Amino acid sequence: MTATAFAALHRAGEPLLLPCAWDHASAFALAGQGFRAVGTTSLGVAAAAGLPDGASATRDETLRLALVLGSAPFPLSVDAEDGFSDDPDEVGEFARQLAAVGAVGINLEDGLGPVGRHAAKIAAVRSAAPGLFVNARTDTYWSGDGDVKETLRRLEAYREAGADGVFVPGLTDPARIGSLAARFDVPLNVLYTPAGPGLAHLADLGVRRVSLGSLLYRRALGAALRAAADVRAGRDPGGPTPTYDEVRAPG
């Protein structure tokens, strides 16, 4: 699938629900459930490798996963943290490598760093990998104080630099979500949270992409811990369990 076709999945009234995988098995299992595209979760990739998330430590692991999944029969968008470098040219080169192995999208977070630097990274990706859908994330709500003016300042700079979509994780207030969705001519992406609006409400607010982030990875760990505790306590573990052959089957 091309980035143009991937962009078309970001529909008004029917947002792209993007589940995020951390390995081959999770990606193919999710695609097998009919999701229109699959993303990756930087936390899942980092934790599975015993590395810290958000510390630019998983460049190789992220590229390796993209290499495994990029030729799969579903569109892949890669969470690349901040691009794994402060150098825009290095970020552009990483994006070029992602596109070369078949990824159609990249998610870049600003970590509340300098606006100009993040805008330069986006512009570098646009130049090095013009076919990638660039989802520009600001962390004003995720790790900041949720200042509205600062959020707008950052997103407007990223849009001007060439972002194809804007992402504000941590934003849950319906009025502010609706205002941002109406303000930009590119899709607004929010992070699903059980404490925030549901998918149908987000669609009504104008959101065109809803990411699940690390939720599935954390839920999978939670299910594994509960199953182990159940067996130790003499109980049969509940919940669905894919068979050995289902997991073993190649994608």
Side-chain angles (χ1 to χ4, degrees), residues 45 67 72 109 119 175 177 183 206 241:
V45 172
L67 178 62
E109 60 195 53
I177 291 173
R183 186 180 184 96
T241 304

Side-chain angles (χ1 to χ4, degrees), residues 29-41:
L30 290 166
Q33 290 296 304
F35 287 97
R36 292 178 285 168
V38 174
T40 65
T41 163

Side-chain angles (χ1 to χ4, degrees), residues 109-115 117 138-141 143-145 150 154 158:
E109 60 195 53
D110 65 10
L112 296 183
V115 175
R117 183 174 69 198
T138 184
D139 290 316
T140 49
Y141 281 83
S143 54
D145 59 7
E150 180 64 8
R154 288 175 176 271
Y158 305 157

Side-chain angles (χ1 to χ4, degrees), residues 6 64 67 115 120 138 149 156 197 224:
F6 178 62
R64 190 175 301 117
L67 178 62
V115 175
T138 184
K149 290 184 178 179
E156 286 169 354

Side-chain angles (χ1 to χ4, degrees), residues 1-12 14-16 36 133 187 208:
M1 176 179 283
T2 65
T4 301
F6 178 62
L9 297 178
H10 299 67
R11 302 168 186 161
E14 188 185 358
L16 172 64
R36 292 178 285 168
F133 184 102
R208 285 191 271 164

Side-chain angles (χ1 to χ4, degrees), residues 176-188:
R176 292 187 178 182
I177 291 173
S179 177
L180 278 181
R183 186 180 184 96
F184 289 93
D185 62 343
V186 294
L188 173 66

